[in-house]
Amino acid sequence: MSVEPQGLDFAGTLRAQRSFDAAWLVFNDHLRAHGVSHALYAQLPSVRVRSISREMIYHATYPEGFTRRYASEGMIDHDPRAHYCESDAEAPLYWNRPGDTLAADPEARDVLGLCEDFGLAFGMTLPLKGRSRLNRSGMGLAFDARTLAQAEEILAASEGAILSAAALFHALAQTPDIAADMIRLSLRERECLLWSAAGLRNKEIAFRLSIAEKTVEHHMASAMTKLHAVNRTHAVARALILGLIAPCPAATSLA
């Protein structure tokens, strides 16, 4: 199977990026060239006790007003497309195709109405596998389309390129350094989480890293906030599930 030169250029450029923001920019530039106007990329634990909006870690290029209501104010919790990413489905879910049942209940209709208000009626949701079975990922890609016919034209011309780009970006975003950068975890925060996972208490971590115990407490509290964790144990578990911490040359042994 042949690969378009544009696709090869994109893959090479994407793999050369060393930060999440840089990779996200390259990815979205490529998407726009193929008719995708906005994107959301999210990670979510497959086992959760809180709502999607409280557990989800995400980045989005959607309009600020939409993102505030959809993600921050919890409308995503009623979006059947978000729940689709929690299922075992692997195929894309297309928005507003004839015969779909996405607006089966009033709260779902409110979500879809919000999308239409912001010109985000057509697109597709991509369920993505995480680094482990305990982690789910997904993308919501809105098309630069005002009608179903325009959306179908984008799919006919670029569906393969969009799906390939999404898979490449997701693979890069799952690597430990890029994943940690997505969540804005600092090196010190990752080190504290790593040693906590090894069973050390704050005083022992402080000694290991040659920093003050209060500094360790600060780093752990910051990591908890960034990981949407309710306590220290939850933060360590989420970091492990998301593949954010792993042994490094400076932290391979307690000896």
Side-chain angles (χ1 to χ4, degrees), residues 14-98:
L14 184 69
R15 293 191 182 105
Q17 306 311 307
R18 293 296 176 262
S19 72
F20 179 87
D21 285 345
W24 183 239
L25 179 62
V26 169
F27 176 53
N28 278 277
D29 283 346
H30 187 73
L31 290 179
R32 281 189 287 273
H34 290 284
V36 176
S37 58
H38 300 89
L40 180 145
Y41 175 69
Q43 298 197 55
L44 185 74
S46 56
V47 179
R48 61 180 177 83
V49 295
R50 300 181 298 175
S51 63
I52 291 176
S53 59
R54 296 186 64 189
E55 294 274 16
M56 177 179 69
I57 297 170
Y58 72 95
H59 277 256
T61 63
Y62 287 97
E64 182 179 350
F66 173 84
T67 302
R68 182 178 63 254
R69 295 190 61 193
Y70 182 71
S72 302
E73 297 179 9
M75 289 190 76
I76 188 175
D77 298 326
H78 310 292
D79 189 348
R81 296 166 297 188
H83 291 284
Y84 182 76
C85 290
E86 292 189 295
S87 70
D88 291 326
E90 296 183 359
L93 177 66
Y94 303 97
W95 309 348
N96 271 339
R97 270 189 166 173

Coordinates of all heavy atoms in Angstrom, one line a residue, residues 14-98:
L14 N 6.0 14.8 13.2 CA 5.4 14.5 14.5 C 6.3 13.8 15.4 O 6.5 14.2 16.6 CB 4.1 13.7 14.3 CG 3.3 13.4 15.5 CD1 2.6 14.6 16.1 CD2 2.2 12.3 15.3
R15 N 7.0 12.8 14.9 CA 7.9 12.0 15.7 C 9.1 12.8 16.2 O 9.8 12.4 17.2 CB 8.4 10.8 15.0 CG 7.3 9.7 14.7 CD 7.9 8.4 14.2 NE 6.8 7.5 13.9 CZ 6.4 7.2 12.6 NH1 7.0 7.7 11.6 NH2 5.4 6.3 12.4
A16 N 9.4 13.9 15.5 CA 10.5 14.7 15.9 C 10.2 15.7 17.1 O 11.1 16.3 17.7 CB 11.0 15.6 14.7
Q17 N 8.9 15.7 17.5 CA 8.5 16.7 18.5 C 8.9 16.1 19.9 O 8.8 14.9 20.1 CB 7.0 17.0 18.5 CG 6.6 17.5 17.1 CD 7.4 18.6 16.6 OE1 7.7 19.6 17.3 NE2 7.9 18.4 15.3
R18 N 9.3 17.0 20.8 CA 9.8 16.6 22.1 C 8.9 17.1 23.3 O 9.2 16.9 24.4 CB 11.2 17.0 22.4 CG 12.2 16.3 21.4 CD 12.3 14.8 21.7 NE 13.1 14.1 20.8 CZ 12.7 13.4 19.8 NH1 11.4 13.4 19.5 NH2 13.6 12.8 19.0
S19 N 7.7 17.7 22.9 CA 6.8 18.1 23.9 C 5.4 17.9 23.4 O 5.1 17.8 22.2 CB 7.0 19.6 24.2 OG 6.5 20.4 23.2
F20 N 4.4 17.7 24.4 CA 3.1 17.5 24.0 C 2.5 18.7 23.2 O 1.9 18.5 22.2 CB 2.2 17.3 25.2 CG 0.7 17.1 24.8 CD1 0.3 15.8 24.5 CD2 -0.2 18.1 24.8 CE1 -1.0 15.6 24.2 CE2 -1.5 17.9 24.4 CZ -1.9 16.6 24.1
D21 N 2.8 19.9 23.6 CA 2.3 21.1 22.9 C 2.7 21.2 21.5 O 2.0 21.5 20.6 CB 2.7 22.4 23.7 CG 1.9 22.6 25.0 OD1 0.8 21.9 25.1 OD2 2.3 23.4 25.8
A22 N 4.0 20.9 21.3 CA 4.6 20.9 19.9 C 3.9 19.8 19.0 O 3.5 20.1 17.9 CB 6.1 20.7 19.9
A23 N 3.7 18.6 19.6 CA 3.1 17.5 18.8 C 1.6 17.9 18.6 O 1.1 17.6 17.5 CB 3.2 16.2 19.6
W24 N 1.0 18.5 19.5 CA -0.4 18.8 19.4 C -0.6 19.9 18.3 O -1.6 19.8 17.5 CB -0.9 19.4 20.8 CG -2.4 19.7 20.9 CD1 -2.8 21.0 21.2 CD2 -3.5 18.9 20.7 NE1 -4.2 21.0 21.3 CE2 -4.7 19.7 21.0 CE3 -3.7 17.6 20.4 CZ2 -6.0 19.2 20.9 CZ3 -5.0 17.1 20.3 CH2 -6.1 17.9 20.6
L25 N 0.3 20.8 18.2 CA 0.3 21.8 17.2 C 0.4 21.2 15.8 O -0.3 21.5 14.9 CB 1.3 22.9 17.4 CG 1.4 24.0 16.4 CD1 0.1 24.8 16.4 CD2 2.6 24.9 16.8
V26 N 1.4 20.4 15.7 CA 1.7 19.7 14.4 C 0.5 18.9 14.0 O 0.0 18.9 12.8 CB 2.9 18.8 14.5 CG1 3.1 17.9 13.2 CG2 4.2 19.7 14.6
F27 N -0.1 18.1 14.9 CA -1.3 17.3 14.7 C -2.4 18.1 14.2 O -3.1 17.8 13.2 CB -1.6 16.5 15.9 CG -2.8 15.7 15.9 CD1 -3.0 14.7 14.9 CD2 -3.8 15.8 16.8 CE1 -4.1 13.9 14.8 CE2 -4.9 15.0 16.8 CZ -5.1 14.0 15.8
N28 N -2.7 19.2 14.9 CA -3.9 20.0 14.5 C -3.7 20.7 13.2 O -4.7 20.9 12.4 CB -4.2 21.0 15.6 CG -5.1 20.3 16.7 OD1 -6.3 20.2 16.6 ND2 -4.4 19.9 17.8
D29 N -2.5 21.2 12.9 CA -2.2 21.7 11.6 C -2.5 20.7 10.5 O -3.1 21.1 9.4 CB -0.8 22.2 11.5 CG -0.5 23.5 12.2 OD1 -1.5 24.2 12.6 OD2 0.7 23.8 12.5
H30 N -2.1 19.5 10.7 CA -2.4 18.4 9.7 C -3.9 18.2 9.6 O -4.4 18.0 8.5 CB -1.6 17.2 10.2 CG -1.7 16.1 9.1 ND1 -1.0 16.1 8.0 CD2 -2.4 14.9 9.1 CE1 -1.2 15.0 7.3 NE2 -2.0 14.2 8.0
L31 N -4.6 18.1 10.7 CA -6.0 17.9 10.7 C -6.7 19.0 9.9 O -7.6 18.7 9.1 CB -6.6 17.8 12.1 CG -6.2 16.6 12.9 CD1 -6.9 16.7 14.3 CD2 -6.7 15.3 12.3
R32 N -6.4 20.2 10.1 CA -7.0 21.3 9.4 C -6.8 21.2 7.9 O -7.7 21.6 7.1 CB -6.5 22.7 9.9 CG -7.1 23.1 11.2 CD -6.8 24.5 11.6 NE -5.4 24.6 12.0 CZ -5.0 24.5 13.3 NH1 -5.9 24.2 14.2 NH2 -3.7 24.6 13.6
A33 N -5.7 20.7 7.5 CA -5.5 20.5 6.0 C -6.4 19.4 5.5 O -6.5 19.4 4.2 CB -4.0 20.2 5.8
H34 N -7.0 18.7 6.3 CA -7.9 17.6 5.9 C -9.3 17.8 6.3 O -10.1 16.9 6.4 CB -7.4 16.2 6.4 CG -6.1 15.8 5.7 ND1 -6.1 15.3 4.5 CD2 -4.8 15.8 6.2 CE1 -4.8 15.0 4.1 NE2 -4.0 15.3 5.2
G35 N -9.7 19.0 6.6 CA -11.1 19.4 6.9 C -11.6 19.2 8.3 O -12.8 19.3 8.5
V36 N -10.7 19.0 9.2 CA -11.0 19.0 10.7 C -10.8 20.3 11.3 O -9.6 20.8 11.3 CB -10.2 17.9 11.4 CG1 -10.6 17.9 12.9 CG2 -10.5 16.5 10.8
S37 N -11.8 21.0 11.8 CA -11.7 22.3 12.3 C -11.3 22.4 13.8 O -10.6 23.3 14.2 CB -13.0 23.1 12.1 OG -14.1 22.4 12.8
H38 N -11.7 21.4 14.6 CA -11.4 21.4 16.0 C -11.2 19.9 16.5 O -11.8 19.0 15.9 CB -12.6 22.0 16.8 CG -12.9 23.4 16.5 ND1 -13.8 23.8 15.5 CD2 -12.4 24.6 17.0 CE1 -13.8 25.1 15.4 NE2 -13.0 25.6 16.3
A39 N -10.4 19.8 17.6 CA -10.1 18.5 18.1 C -10.1 18.5 19.6 O -9.7 19.5 20.2 CB -8.8 18.0 17.6
L40 N -10.5 17.4 20.2 CA -10.4 17.1 21.6 C -9.7 15.8 21.8 O -10.1 14.8 21.1 CB -11.7 17.2 22.3 CG -11.7 16.9 23.8 CD1 -12.8 17.8 24.5 CD2 -11.9 15.5 24.2
Y41 N -8.7 15.7 22.6 CA -8.0 14.5 22.9 C -8.1 14.3 24.4 O -7.7 15.2 25.2 CB -6.6 14.5 22.5 CG -5.7 13.3 22.8 CD1 -6.0 12.1 22.2 CD2 -4.7 13.4 23.8 CE1 -5.3 10.9 22.6 CE2 -4.0 12.3 24.1 CZ -4.2 11.0 23.5 OH -3.5 9.9 23.8
A42 N -8.6 13.1 24.9 CA -8.8 12.9 26.3 C -8.3 11.5 26.8 O -8.3 10.6 26.0 CB -10.3 13.1 26.6
Q43 N -7.9 11.5 28.0 CA -7.6 10.2 28.7 C -8.5 10.1 29.9 O -8.8 11.0 30.6 CB -6.2 10.1 29.0 CG -5.2 10.2 27.8 CD -3.8 9.7 28.2 OE1 -3.6 8.6 28.6 NE2 -2.9 10.6 27.9
L44 N -8.9 8.8 30.2 CA -9.9 8.6 31.3 C -9.6 7.2 31.8 O -9.4 6.2 31.1 CB -11.3 8.6 30.7 CG -12.5 8.5 31.6 CD1 -12.6 9.8 32.4 CD2 -13.7 8.3 30.8
P45 N -9.7 7.0 33.1 CA -9.5 5.7 33.7 C -10.7 4.8 33.3 O -11.9 5.3 33.3 CB -9.4 5.9 35.2 CG -10.1 7.2 35.4 CD -9.8 8.0 34.2
S46 N -10.5 3.5 33.0 CA -11.6 2.7 32.6 C -12.4 2.3 33.9 O -13.6 1.9 33.7 CB -11.1 1.4 31.9 OG -10.2 0.7 32.7
V47 N -11.9 2.4 35.0 CA -12.6 2.1 36.3 C -12.7 3.5 37.0 O -11.6 4.0 37.4 CB -11.9 1.1 37.2 CG1 -12.6 0.9 38.5 CG2 -11.7 -0.2 36.4
R48 N -13.8 4.0 37.2 CA -14.0 5.3 37.8 C -15.2 5.3 38.7 O -16.2 4.5 38.5 CB -14.1 6.4 36.8 CG -15.3 6.3 35.8 CD -15.3 7.4 34.8 NE -16.4 7.2 33.9 CZ -17.6 7.6 34.1 NH1 -17.9 8.2 35.2 NH2 -18.6 7.4 33.2
V49 N -15.2 6.2 39.7 CA -16.4 6.3 40.6 C -17.0 7.7 40.5 O -18.0 8.0 41.0 CB -16.0 6.0 42.1 CG1 -15.6 4.6 42.2 CG2 -14.9 6.9 42.5
R50 N -16.3 8.6 39.8 CA -16.7 10.0 39.6 C -17.1 10.2 38.1 O -16.9 9.3 37.3 CB -15.7 11.0 40.0 CG -15.2 10.8 41.5 CD -14.2 11.9 41.8 NE -13.0 11.7 41.0 CZ -11.9 12.5 41.1 NH1 -12.0 13.6 41.8 NH2 -10.8 12.3 40.3
S51 N -17.8 11.3 37.8 CA -18.2 11.6 36.5 C -17.0 11.8 35.5 O -15.9 12.0 35.9 CB -19.1 12.9 36.5 OG -18.3 14.0 36.9
I52 N -17.3 11.7 34.2 CA -16.3 11.8 33.2 C -15.6 13.2 33.4 O -14.4 13.3 33.3 CB -16.9 11.7 31.8 CG1 -17.4 10.2 31.6 CG2 -15.9 12.1 30.7 CD1 -18.0 10.0 30.2
S53 N -16.4 14.2 33.6 CA -15.9 15.6 33.6 C -14.9 15.8 34.8 O -14.0 16.6 34.7 CB -17.0 16.6 33.7 OG -17.8 16.4 34.9
R54 N -15.1 15.0 35.9 CA -14.2 15.1 37.0 C -12.9 14.2 36.9 O -11.9 14.4 37.6 CB -14.9 14.8 38.3 CG -16.0 15.8 38.6 CD -16.6 15.5 40.0 NE -15.7 15.7 41.0 CZ -15.9 15.4 42.3 NH1 -17.1 14.8 42.6 NH2 -15.0 15.6 43.2
E55 N -13.0 13.2 36.0 CA -11.9 12.2 35.9 C -11.1 12.5 34.6 O -9.9 12.2 34.6 CB -12.5 10.8 35.8 CG -13.1 10.3 37.0 CD -12.1 9.7 38.0 OE1 -10.9 9.9 37.9 OE2 -12.6 9.0 38.9
M56 N -11.7 13.1 33.6 CA -11.0 13.3 32.3 C -9.8 14.2 32.3 O -9.9 15.3 32.9 CB -12.1 13.7 31.3 CG -11.5 14.0 29.9 SD -12.8 14.5 28.8 CE -13.2 16.1 29.4
I57 N -8.8 13.9 31.7 CA -7.6 14.7 31.4 C -7.6 15.0 29.9 O -7.6 14.0 29.2 CB -6.3 14.1 31.9 CG1 -6.3 13.9 33.4 CG2 -5.1 14.9 31.5 CD1 -5.2 13.1 34.0
Y58 N -7.7 16.2 29.5 CA -7.9 16.5 28.1 C -7.2 17.8 27.6 O -6.8 18.6 28.4 CB -9.4 16.6 27.8 CG -10.0 17.9 28.3 CD1 -10.1 19.0 27.5 CD2 -10.4 18.1 29.6 CE1 -10.6 20.2 28.0 CE2 -10.9 19.2 30.1 CZ -11.0 20.3 29.3 OH -11.5 21.5 29.8
H59 N -7.0 17.8 26.3 CA -6.6 19.0 25.6 C -7.6 19.2 24.4 O -8.0 18.2 23.8 CB -5.2 18.9 25.1 CG -4.2 19.3 26.1 ND1 -3.5 20.4 26.1 CD2 -3.7 18.5 27.1 CE1 -2.6 20.4 27.1 NE2 -2.8 19.3 27.8
A60 N -7.9 20.5 24.1 CA -8.9 20.7 23.1 C -8.6 22.1 22.4 O -8.1 23.0 23.0 CB -10.3 20.8 23.7
T61 N -9.1 22.1 21.1 CA -9.0 23.4 20.3 C -10.4 23.9 20.1 O -10.5 24.8 19.2 CB -8.2 23.1 19.0 OG1 -9.0 22.2 18.2 CG2 -6.8 22.6 19.2
Y62 N -11.4 23.4 20.8 CA -12.7 23.9 20.6 C -12.8 25.3 21.1 O -12.0 25.8 21.9 CB -13.7 23.0 21.3 CG -13.9 21.7 20.7 CD1 -13.3 20.5 21.1 CD2 -14.8 21.6 19.6 CE1 -13.5 19.3 20.5 CE2 -15.1 20.3 19.0 CZ -14.4 19.2 19.5 OH -14.6 18.0 18.8
P63 N -13.8 26.1 20.7 CA -14.0 27.4 21.2 C -14.1 27.4 22.7 O -14.7 26.5 23.3 CB -15.4 27.9 20.5 CG -15.5 27.1 19.3 CD -14.8 25.7 19.6
E64 N -13.6 28.5 23.3 CA -13.5 28.5 24.8 C -14.9 28.4 25.4 O -15.1 27.7 26.4 CB -12.9 29.8 25.2 CG -12.7 30.0 26.7 CD -12.0 31.2 27.1 OE1 -11.5 32.0 26.2 OE2 -12.0 31.5 28.3
G65 N -15.9 29.1 24.8 CA -17.2 29.0 25.4 C -17.8 27.6 25.4 O -18.5 27.2 26.3
F66 N -17.6 26.9 24.3 CA -18.0 25.6 24.2 C -17.3 24.7 25.2 O -18.0 23.9 25.9 CB -17.8 25.0 22.8 CG -18.1 23.6 22.6 CD1 -19.4 23.1 22.4 CD2 -17.1 22.6 22.7 CE1 -19.7 21.8 22.2 CE2 -17.4 21.2 22.6 CZ -18.7 20.8 22.4
T67 N -16.0 24.8 25.2 CA -15.2 23.9 26.1 C -15.6 24.1 27.6 O -15.7 23.2 28.4 CB -13.7 24.2 26.0 OG1 -13.4 24.0 24.6 CG2 -12.9 23.3 26.9
R68 N -15.9 25.4 28.0 CA -16.3 25.7 29.3 C -17.6 24.9 29.7 O -17.7 24.3 30.7 CB -16.5 27.2 29.5 CG -16.8 27.6 31.0 CD -16.9 29.1 31.2 NE -18.0 29.6 30.3 CZ -17.8 30.4 29.2 NH1 -16.6 30.6 28.8 NH2 -18.8 30.8 28.6
R69 N -18.6 25.0 28.8 CA -19.8 24.4 29.1 C -19.8 22.9 29.0 O -20.3 22.1 29.8 CB -20.9 24.9 28.2 CG -21.3 26.4 28.5 CD -22.5 26.8 27.8 NE -23.7 26.0 28.2 CZ -24.8 26.0 27.5 NH1 -25.0 26.7 26.4 NH2 -25.8 25.3 28.0
Y70 N -19.0 22.4 28.0 CA -19.0 21.0 27.7 C -18.2 20.2 28.7 O -18.6 19.2 29.2 CB -18.4 20.8 26.3 CG -18.4 19.4 25.8 CD1 -19.5 18.7 25.5 CD2 -17.1 18.7 25.7 CE1 -19.5 17.3 25.0 CE2 -17.1 17.4 25.2 CZ -18.3 16.7 24.9 OH -18.2 15.4 24.5
A71 N -16.9 20.7 28.9 CA -16.0 19.9 29.8 C -16.1 20.4 31.2 O -16.3 19.7 32.2 CB -14.6 20.0 29.2
S72 N -15.8 21.7 31.4 CA -15.7 22.3 32.8 C -17.0 22.2 33.6 O -17.0 22.0 34.8 CB -15.2 23.7 32.8 OG -13.9 23.7 32.1
E73 N -18.2 22.5 32.9 CA -19.4 22.5 33.5 C -20.2 21.1 33.4 O -21.3 21.0 33.9 CB -20.3 23.6 33.0 CG -19.7 25.0 33.3 CD -20.5 26.1 32.7 OE1 -21.6 25.9 32.3 OE2 -20.0 27.3 32.7
G74 N -19.6 20.1 32.8 CA -20.1 18.8 32.9 C -21.1 18.3 31.9 O -21.7 17.2 32.0
M75 N -21.3 19.1 30.8 CA -22.2 18.6 29.8 C -21.7 17.3 29.1 O -22.5 16.5 28.6 CB -22.5 19.6 28.7 CG -23.4 20.8 29.3 SD -24.0 21.9 28.0 CE -25.3 21.0 27.2
I76 N -20.4 17.1 29.1 CA -19.8 15.9 28.5 C -20.3 14.6 29.2 O -20.4 13.6 28.6 CB -18.3 15.9 28.6 CG1 -17.7 14.8 27.8 CG2 -17.8 15.9 30.1 CD1 -16.2 14.8 27.7
D77 N -20.7 14.8 30.5 CA -21.2 13.6 31.2 C -22.5 13.0 30.6 O -22.8 11.9 30.9 CB -21.5 14.0 32.7 CG -20.3 14.4 33.4 OD1 -19.2 13.9 33.1 OD2 -20.4 15.3 34.3
H78 N -23.2 13.8 29.8 CA -24.4 13.4 29.2 C -24.3 13.2 27.7 O -25.3 13.0 26.9 CB -25.5 14.4 29.4 CG -25.7 14.8 30.9 ND1 -26.1 13.9 31.8 CD2 -25.4 15.9 31.5 CE1 -26.1 14.5 33.0 NE2 -25.7 15.7 32.9
D79 N -23.0 13.2 27.2 CA -22.8 13.0 25.8 C -22.6 11.5 25.5 O -21.6 10.9 25.9 CB -21.5 13.8 25.4 CG -21.3 13.9 23.9 OD1 -22.0 13.1 23.1 OD2 -20.4 14.6 23.4
P80 N -23.5 10.9 24.7 CA -23.3 9.5 24.3 C -22.0 9.2 23.6 O -21.5 8.1 23.6 CB -24.5 9.2 23.5 CG -25.0 10.5 23.0 CD -24.7 11.5 24.1
R81 N -21.4 10.2 22.9 CA -20.2 10.0 22.2 C -19.0 9.8 23.2 O -18.1 9.0 22.9 CB -19.9 11.1 21.2 CG -21.0 11.3 20.2 CD -20.9 12.6 19.4 NE -21.2 13.7 20.3 CZ -21.4 14.9 19.9 NH1 -21.3 15.2 18.6 NH2 -21.6 15.9 20.7
A82 N -19.1 10.5 24.3 CA -18.0 10.3 25.3 C -18.2 8.9 25.9 O -17.1 8.3 26.2 CB -18.2 11.4 26.4
H83 N -19.4 8.5 26.2 CA -19.6 7.2 26.8 C -19.2 6.1 25.8 O -18.8 5.0 26.2 CB -21.0 7.0 27.2 CG -21.3 7.9 28.4 ND1 -20.9 7.5 29.7 CD2 -22.0 9.0 28.5 CE1 -21.3 8.5 30.6 NE2 -22.0 9.4 29.9
Y84 N -19.3 6.4 24.5 CA -18.9 5.4 23.5 C -17.4 5.1 23.6 O -17.0 4.0 23.4 CB -19.2 6.0 22.1 CG -18.9 5.2 20.9 CD1 -19.7 4.1 20.6 CD2 -17.7 5.4 20.1 CE1 -19.4 3.3 19.5 CE2 -17.4 4.6 19.0 CZ -18.3 3.6 18.7 OH -18.0 2.8 17.6
C85 N -16.6 6.1 24.0 CA -15.2 5.9 24.2 C -14.9 5.0 25.4 O -13.8 4.4 25.5 CB -14.4 7.2 24.3 SG -14.4 8.2 22.8
E86 N -15.8 4.9 26.3 CA -15.6 4.0 27.4 C -16.0 2.5 27.1 O -15.8 1.6 27.9 CB -16.5 4.5 28.6 CG -16.0 5.8 29.2 CD -16.8 6.1 30.5 OE1 -18.0 6.3 30.4 OE2 -16.1 6.1 31.5
S87 N -16.6 2.3 26.0 CA -17.1 1.0 25.6 C -15.9 0.2 25.0 O -14.8 0.7 24.9 CB -18.2 1.0 24.6 OG -17.7 1.5 23.3
D88 N -16.1 -1.0 24.5 CA -15.1 -1.8 23.9 C -15.1 -1.5 22.4 O -14.4 -2.2 21.6 CB -15.3 -3.3 24.1 CG -15.0 -3.6 25.6 OD1 -14.1 -3.0 26.2 OD2 -15.7 -4.5 26.1
A89 N -15.8 -0.5 21.9 CA -15.9 -0.2 20.5 C -14.5 0.2 19.9 O -13.7 0.8 20.7 CB -16.9 0.9 20.2
E90 N -14.3 -0.1 18.7 CA -13.1 0.3 18.0 C -13.3 1.2 16.8 O -12.4 1.9 16.4 CB -12.3 -0.9 17.6 CG -11.8 -1.8 18.8 CD -10.9 -2.9 18.4 OE1 -10.7 -3.1 17.2 OE2 -10.5 -3.7 19.3
A91 N -14.5 1.1 16.2 CA -14.8 1.8 15.0 C -15.2 3.3 15.3 O -15.7 3.6 16.4 CB -16.0 1.1 14.3
P92 N -14.9 4.2 14.4 CA -15.3 5.6 14.6 C -16.8 5.7 14.7 O -17.6 4.9 14.1 CB -14.8 6.3 13.3 CG -13.7 5.4 12.7 CD -14.2 4.0 13.1
L93 N -17.2 6.7 15.5 CA -18.7 7.0 15.6 C -18.9 8.4 14.9 O -18.3 9.4 15.3 CB -19.1 7.1 17.0 CG -20.5 7.5 17.3 CD1 -21.5 6.4 16.8 CD2 -20.7 7.8 18.8
Y94 N -19.7 8.4 13.8 CA -19.9 9.6 13.0 C -21.1 10.4 13.6 O -22.1 9.8 14.0 CB -20.1 9.2 11.6 CG -19.0 8.4 11.0 CD1 -19.0 7.0 10.9 CD2 -17.8 9.0 10.6 CE1 -17.9 6.3 10.5 CE2 -16.7 8.3 10.1 CZ -16.8 6.9 10.0 OH -15.8 6.2 9.6
W95 N -20.9 11.7 13.5 CA -22.0 12.5 14.1 C -23.0 12.9 13.1 O -22.7 13.3 11.9 CB -21.4 13.8 14.7 CG -20.2 13.6 15.6 CD1 -19.8 12.5 16.2 CD2 -19.3 14.7 16.0 NE1 -18.7 12.7 16.9 CE2 -18.3 14.0 16.9 CE3 -19.2 16.0 15.8 CZ2 -17.3 14.7 17.5 CZ3 -18.2 16.7 16.4 CH2 -17.2 16.1 17.2
N96 N -24.3 12.9 13.5 CA -25.4 13.4 12.7 C -25.6 12.7 11.3 O -26.0 13.3 10.4 CB -25.3 14.9 12.5 CG -25.9 15.7 13.6 OD1 -26.8 15.1 14.3 ND2 -25.5 16.9 13.8
R97 N -25.2 11.4 11.3 CA -25.6 10.7 10.1 C -27.0 10.2 10.2 O -27.5 9.9 11.3 CB -24.6 9.5 9.9 CG -23.4 9.8 9.2 CD -22.6 8.6 8.8 NE -21.5 8.8 7.8 CZ -20.6 8.0 7.5 NH1 -20.5 6.8 8.0 NH2 -19.7 8.3 6.5
P98 N -27.7 10.0 9.1 CA -29.1 9.6 9.1 C -29.2 8.3 9.9 O -28.4 7.3 9.7 CB -29.5 9.4 7.6 CG -28.5 10.4 6.9 CD -27.2 10.3 7.7

